[in-house]
Amino acid sequence: MPAERRIAVLLLASTLAALGLAGVYIAGGQPQAEGALLGVALAGIGFALILWARGLSSEGAVVAERGPLGGTVEDEEAVEERVEEVTEEPGRRSVLRLFWAAGGALALSAVFPIRSLGPAPGNALLRTAWRPGSRLMDTDGRLVRVDTLQVGGTLTAFPQGAEKAGDSSVILIRLEEGQLQPRPGRESWSPRGYVAYSKICPHVGCPVGLYQADTHELLCPCHQSTFDVLDGARPNFGPATRSLPQLPLAVDPQGFLIAQDDFDEPVGPGFWNRD
Amino acid sequence: MGKRLFRWVDERLGTSHFARKAFDKIFPDHWSFMVGEIAMYCLVILIVTGVYLTFFFVPASGEVIYHGSYKALQGARMSAAYASSLDLSFEVRAGLVMRQMHHWAALVFLAAIVVHLCRVFFTGAFRRPREVNWIIGVTLLVMSMMNGFFGYSLLDDLLSGTGVRVGYSIALSIPVAGEWLAFLFFGGEFPNTEFITRFFVLHVLLLPALIVGLLGAHLAILWRQKHTQFKGRGRTEDNIEGSRLWPSYAAKSVGLFFIVTAVIAALGGLAQINPVWLYGPYDPAQASAATAGSQPDWYVGWLDGALRVMPGWEIRAFGHTIANPFFPGAVLPGLTFGVLYLWPFLERRFTKDRDPHNLLDRPRDAPVRTALGAATLSFYTILFIAGGNDVLSSVFRVAPESITNLFRVLIFVVPVLVFLVTRSACRSLARDHVHPFGGTVGSRVRRTPAGGYEAVDDDDPPPAEATRADLVAEAYRRPAPPAP
Ligand code: HEM
Ligand code: FES
């Protein structure tokens, strides 16, 4: 087919596709058809242009001189001279220095509004919303009772009244009583086999949600750190460097699970002021 | 009419003088010069589709209850941002195609930038006088990656929220200033209600403005310095061979724009990307089935892989911690882009080559540079693959631990092997004058003055700078011998 004919066919196809596209939109729209028709409409013009470009000029490769990039030495010297006329004169140099100082001070003061962009870290990273006596609440808003979980069961819990506190989620697991080897000082933290660990991975903060009951391991889905639930959630493998912080639990007289206190260490990823 | 308008403008601005010169500007014909153009055209698509999305997207974290037409999320609580991206996908006519075109254009944009950078690197186009454009180019790469990350984060779905949390944690891990940096940049402890609005301003205003401005400078410098060109007969450091801007190059390039846009449109309509409705709204306490096995956009995959292969080490001393993610998350990219920025100057220090270069190297002409580049690419490719260690582990039914340990070895071994193999391949290619993909072309022949042909034995190699293409071209160009 001669080039003109091919170009004409392409442009015709493009026109039809464009009209079809408008039609599809008017008829209510359909993503696949929209994409395909837009593609055809554009490709028709694109290929037609490229075919057309071939016939536009028969001259083949053209060679041109580059010419010099840099200016002449006279140009350079002339510019330097004009600048130095102003800057190098003794009286003016001290004025110039004052201009620099004023500009620097202005720039410095312009940095301060950046401070408004966020609160001071303070102890936000050190504390969570858990308080002595906070009841545990699951994601459906039900309070957790001492008989809520079977042995081997897990759920995600928040402190009652602070369900939105992103740093306070815990994964609650019920083990066989006596299975857990509590760390020194944590003997009373796991009543009736209940143990609660922070759900925020100490690596970069993904929720550590996958509990493998046969190996008693918690797995973080983001970078595959694993934690040994029976041994204080010590990291077994992966980039996590610390154990998951453990929430001290107790059972209140009405049979609800409560926190004895906040975590005794910061939850989540490490930072400079963490020891 | 067009003529009268042109005259009218010219009388006021003198455009004809410029246009006359510009029309004759020469552009090289080699295909590898097209890649940068593809990147530029993707940026155009990103801006056009992005402006459209901005009319509908609500950059707010306030909670709403979903009542749209997507059944599975009816009545769910979610941020206004996430709800508006669901509306863009289901309620706004043509909205889903725009959204998906925007996302595909971002993926192709970054791929084109990376390939363009490789072209410039492996041919030595960054050498004097083009160091400034190299620096601008690396900056464009960094900014585009960041903008892609911010755009991806706006939607506030379960996957993107996890990504933002990773970014926050990396910022937090920076020694001394990390806590302040993270709180100021993200607007407080994560998760919070500030970052969507903030990322939105960065994504649709600040970074696009910087990117467009820098691209303008990149092109202006290119215009002034003119393109490089491959070596060849008749090509010197002082000339340039190719097509004139008007008409052939302009028509071809506009054609390329239409074709790139056509591909993005077809992808946007036919190939699903980032189906956020399947992921659900972000919930910091939840890792859905989608989080496991999900991958970030390809251009951040190497960082994800680095986070995964890094062993569980960190530095603790004097009551302070330099946390683990600092090394893969901040030191590695710092080194990556630091070395990229400095490369023209590092190479100059080693080769002592301070001359301006308008003629390009073929990759084999600089075996050490090419081998270093290939080794570096293999390093990042392995990190990228390591970012899928959970997928690999479930496909091959191997424990994720074994896969990760394997990558911890490969990451050091493969680049060294790639370096050695590439260097020796370059050296033997340069010695034998063989095109890597063309293979040997049999024996060379020469036309005799009598009009016959004779074989040339290979003790008589062609001039060092000639390629096979040149030899062919030469055969066409040489004037026919006078008839006997
Ligand atoms: C360097 C250029 C850019 C890159 C790499 C980029 C990348 C992205 C990506 C990956 C997304 C997520 C898309 C999705 O899956 O829905 C996104 C979303 C978005 N982008 Fe961009 N973008 C760029 C420029 C722009 C510009 C110039 C604008 C507007 C003027 C814009 C406006 C938006 C909006 C409003 C969204 C969220 C809407 C939604 O998808 O629901 N982008 N961007
Ligand atoms: S966030 Fe848990 S392993 Fe990375």
Side-chain angles (χ1 to χ4, degrees), chain A residues 25 28 34 39 59 62 64 66 69 117 167 199 204-205 222 224 237 239 241-242 269 272-274, chain B residues 93 97 165 169 179 189 198 224 226-227 238-242 244 285 308 314 316 320-321 358 389-390:
Chain A
Y25 184 92
E34 284 162 11
E59 64 184 359
V62 187
R66 281 179 188 276
L69 264 184
L117 288 175
D167 59 358
K199 211 177 167 179
V204 289
C222 282
Q224 288 80 44
F237 187 82
T241 51
R242 295 180 191 264
W272 176 247
N273 280 319
R274 181 157 177 10
Chain B
R93 223 188 277 181
V97 173
R165 171 150 234 162
S169 301
E179 290 145 60
E189 187 181 12
R198 189 162 296 185
R224 175 77 188 94
K226 301 193 169 72
H227 285 75
D238 303 314
N239 68 13
I240 174 157
E241 188 184 286
R244 289 182 216 270
R308 291 174 191 224
E314 64 186 16
R316 288 176 211 157
H320 293 293
T321 299
N358 294 318
N389 63 352
D390 49 341

Side-chain angles (χ1 to χ4, degrees), chain B residues 424-466:
Chain B
S424 83
C426 286
R427 286 183 175 160
S428 67
L429 283 174
R431 207 166 34 242
D432 301 342
H433 308 288
V434 189
H435 190 278
F437 304 118
T440 11
V441 265
S443 55
R444 294 195 299 122
V445 292
R446 173 191 292 152
R447 185 132 188 224
T448 62
Y453 294 92
E454 64 179 21
V456 185
D457 69 55
D458 273 332
D459 295 341
D460 171 24
E465 78 274 24

Side-chain angles (χ1 to χ4, degrees), chain A residues 17 21 33-45, chain B residues 258-259 261-266:
Chain A
L21 179 62
E34 284 162 11
L37 288 171
L38 182 56
V40 173
L42 291 161
I45 296 182
Chain B
F258 277 93
I259 291 172
T261 316
V263 171
I264 303 283

Side-chain angles (χ1 to χ4, degrees), chain B residues 340-351:
Chain B
L340 267 181
Y341 272 120
L342 292 179
W343 182 261
F345 312 100
L346 291 174
E347 185 177 301
R348 191 161 78 188
R349 160 129 347 150
F350 288 116
T351 60

Side-chain angles (χ1 to χ4, degrees), chain B residues 219-479:
Chain B
L219 296 178
I221 292 173
L222 169 73
W223 190 274
R224 175 77 188 94
Q225 296 183 331
K226 301 193 169 72
H227 285 75
T228 51
Q229 60 186 347
F230 281 101
K231 291 168 189 160
R233 277 300 147 84
R235 297 186 188 164
T236 68
E237 291 285 358
D238 303 314
N239 68 13
I240 174 157
E241 188 184 286
S243 314
R244 289 182 216 270
L245 173 61
W246 188 265
S248 25
Y249 183 78
K252 257 193 294 188
S253 189
V254 177
L256 179 66
F257 167 71
F258 277 93
I259 291 172
V260 171
T261 316
V263 171
I264 303 283
L267 285 169
L270 302 174
Q272 188 180 71
I273 184 89
N274 203 17
V276 284
W277 52 91
L278 298 180
Y279 308 149
Y282 182 58
D283 171 353
Q286 224 202 339
S288 77
T291 327
S294 64
Q295 309 301 327
D297 273 357
W298 77 267
Y299 48 87
V300 282
W302 58 284
L303 279 171
D304 190 40
L307 285 170
R308 291 174 191 224
V309 295
M310 176 76 190
W313 301 328
E314 64 186 16
I315 299 174
R316 288 176 211 157
F318 312 112
H320 293 293
T321 299
I322 302 180
N324 177 289
F326 175 67
F327 303 100
V331 173
L332 176 70
L335 279 175
T336 303
F337 295 111
V339 171
L340 267 181
Y341 272 120
L342 292 179
W343 182 261
F345 312 100
L346 291 174
E347 185 177 301
R348 191 161 78 188
R349 160 129 347 150
F350 288 116
T351 60
K352 307 269 185 301
D353 176 359
R354 285 158 204 285
D355 297 333
H357 292 279
N358 294 318
L359 287 177
L360 294 172
D361 287 335
R362 291 170 307 171
R364 77 188 87 160
D365 299 334
V368 175
R369 178 207 293 145
T370 302
L372 279 174
T376 309
L377 285 180
S378 73
F379 176 80
Y380 290 102
T381 307
I382 291 179
L383 284 182
F384 176 81
I385 301 172
N389 63 352
D390 49 341
V391 178
L392 293 173
S393 120
S394 68
V395 169
F396 294 108
R397 300 181 179 287
V398 190
E401 285 86 345
S402 323
I403 302 251
T404 304
N405 280 329
L406 177 67
F407 280 120
R408 286 173 181 166
V409 175
L410 291 182
I411 200 76
F412 294 104
V413 175
V414 173
V416 174
L417 290 178
V418 168
F419 177 85
L420 295 173
V421 170
T422 311
R423 192 180 55 178
S424 83
C426 286
R427 286 183 175 160
S428 67
L429 283 174
R431 207 166 34 242
D432 301 342
H433 308 288
V434 189
H435 190 278
F437 304 118
T440 11
V441 265
S443 55
R444 294 195 299 122
V445 292
R446 173 191 292 152
R447 185 132 188 224
T448 62
Y453 294 92
E454 64 179 21
V456 185
D457 69 55
D458 273 332
D459 295 341
D460 171 24
E465 78 274 24
T467 64
R468 192 162 64 97
D470 297 328
L471 295 174
V472 175
E474 188 191 6
Y476 281 108
R477 262 190 226 156
R478 209 175 265 169

